[in-house]
Amino acid sequence: MLQNTNTKPFLALAVSYYIDEDQYTDEYNDNVDDNERGQYVSSALLIFNLKTFRLDISQQLEVSTDYSTPSTTAFLNHTTSHNNNNNNNHRDRQMVALALASPTVADIDGNGLMDIIVPTSMGRIYVYHILNGLYLTSQDKFPIQMPYPIEKLILVEDVMGDVNLESFALDNGLNVICFNHNATILWKKSFLHRTSKKVTSLSGMVMTTLSNGHL
């Protein structure tokens, strides 16, 4: 997401890191079991300065095991086989430290400075500020935790009619929440409540004004 601050234009990217086993040598693997290599992934928020075309800020978000690795998959098969009808099991959720959605950049608290909203596949929503163009600081009371991975863009809109923007998040379990800049959840709705159906694909949210003037 490209935005301008009071000091410089920047590009905010949410990225995921995978371990490349070919980059490892025996020098670094003396204390690492063969079964542990490549089992970890992580996510981060990168801020690029578009005047210098350099990476200014790198903020680590999360680290986890990768559910697609053979040993982790075997663990998931074991833990889910006892409760195949449970839609809340680990395989359905696939909570892993990836950042698959683009960040949302907006002034959600009306202070004239841009905020960066980053959702992750761990179901968390982070909000950061850029201070003096030098480093990031996390907004108080964030991150917000949702029950399923979030892989779609966070939408923002002033639905309350004040200077602050409300944010809308959709997770892979079809749970929708609306929250404000203080991390207060204003309302939430589950569209798969009390059902065993699974979500196989998911599109992003859209907002529009209906004929009666409501969002």
Side-chain angles (χ1 to χ4, degrees), residues 50-153:
L50 294 183
K51 288 186 176 179
T52 63
F53 298 102
R54 291 180 177 273
L55 175 65
D56 272 6
I57 305 171
S58 177
Q59 174 66 47
Q60 183 73 40
L61 297 176
E62 299 162 346
V63 178
S64 77
T65 55
D66 180 2
Y67 62 79
S68 65
T69 57
S71 62
T72 309
T73 302
F75 169 76
L76 292 175
N77 288 336
H78 173 74
T79 57
T80 59
S81 62
H82 300 292
N83 197 1
N84 292 328
N85 294 324
N86 184 1
N87 195 43
N88 292 325
N89 60 49
H90 293 281
R91 169 170 292 188
D92 293 332
R93 298 192 183 201
Q94 295 183 341
M95 306 291 267
V96 64
L98 301 177
L100 302 179
S102 298
T104 298
V105 180
D107 180 13
I108 63 174
D109 53 9
N111 65 356
L113 300 176
M114 289 297 177
D115 306 295
I116 305 173
I117 311 173
V118 189
T120 71
S121 292
M122 292 291 284
R124 298 189 182 106
I125 302 170
Y126 296 86
V127 175
Y128 290 97
H129 310 288
I130 299 181
L131 294 183
N132 301 322
L134 299 176
Y135 60 93
L136 293 176
T137 179
S138 178
Q139 176 79 317
D140 291 341
K141 301 180 181 179
F142 284 91
I144 293 175
Q145 179 71 58
M146 293 189 71
Y148 287 83
I150 309 168
E151 299 176 355
K152 301 300 177 182
L153 184 74

Side-chain angles (χ1 to χ4, degrees), residues 3-214:
Q3 284 291 341
N4 289 308
T5 64
N6 294 334
T7 57
K8 63 185 179 183
F10 68 90
L11 178 68
L13 294 177
V15 298
S16 303
Y17 295 102
Y18 302 82
I19 292 180
D20 185 353
E21 296 185 33
D22 294 336
Q23 297 295 322
Y24 279 79
T25 63
D26 292 338
E27 178 181 355
Y28 300 102
N29 284 323
D30 291 340
N31 298 319
V32 179
D33 187 271
D34 288 341
N35 293 327
E36 294 181 359
R37 299 174 186 173
Q39 291 184 19
Y40 299 94
V41 295
S42 66
S43 57
L45 174 63
L46 306 182
I47 306 298
F48 289 89
N49 185 329
L50 294 183
K51 288 186 176 179
T52 63
F53 298 102
R54 291 180 177 273
L55 175 65
D56 272 6
I57 305 171
S58 177
Q59 174 66 47
Q60 183 73 40
L61 297 176
E62 299 162 346
V63 178
S64 77
T65 55
D66 180 2
Y67 62 79
S68 65
T69 57
S71 62
T72 309
T73 302
F75 169 76
L76 292 175
N77 288 336
H78 173 74
T79 57
T80 59
S81 62
H82 300 292
N83 197 1
N84 292 328
N85 294 324
N86 184 1
N87 195 43
N88 292 325
N89 60 49
H90 293 281
R91 169 170 292 188
D92 293 332
R93 298 192 183 201
Q94 295 183 341
M95 306 291 267
V96 64
L98 301 177
L100 302 179
S102 298
T104 298
V105 180
D107 180 13
I108 63 174
D109 53 9
N111 65 356
L113 300 176
M114 289 297 177
D115 306 295
I116 305 173
I117 311 173
V118 189
T120 71
S121 292
M122 292 291 284
R124 298 189 182 106
I125 302 170
Y126 296 86
V127 175
Y128 290 97
H129 310 288
I130 299 181
L131 294 183
N132 301 322
L134 299 176
Y135 60 93
L136 293 176
T137 179
S138 178
Q139 176 79 317
D140 291 341
K141 301 180 181 179
F142 284 91
I144 293 175
Q145 179 71 58
M146 293 189 71
Y148 287 83
I150 309 168
E151 299 176 355
K152 301 300 177 182
L153 184 74
I154 303 293
L155 300 184
V156 294
E157 184 67 37
D158 182 9
V159 298
M160 305 297 290
D162 54 15
V163 297
N164 300 319
L165 297 177
E166 286 70 48
S167 302
F168 299 82
L170 169 70
D171 70 15
N172 286 0
L174 282 186
N175 300 292
V176 179
I177 64 169
C178 173
F179 60 94
N180 64 15
H181 64 286
N182 291 320
T184 300
I185 297 178
L186 305 177
W187 58 260
K188 57 184 177 180
K189 176 67 176 179
S190 175
F191 290 96
L192 284 183
H193 184 57
R194 295 182 179 178
T195 179
S196 60
K197 294 181 180 180
K198 298 180 181 180
V199 179
T200 57
S201 63
L202 193 65
S203 62
M205 293 185 295
V206 294
M207 288 190 293
T208 187
T209 301
L210 302 178
S211 59
N212 60 4
H214 295 290

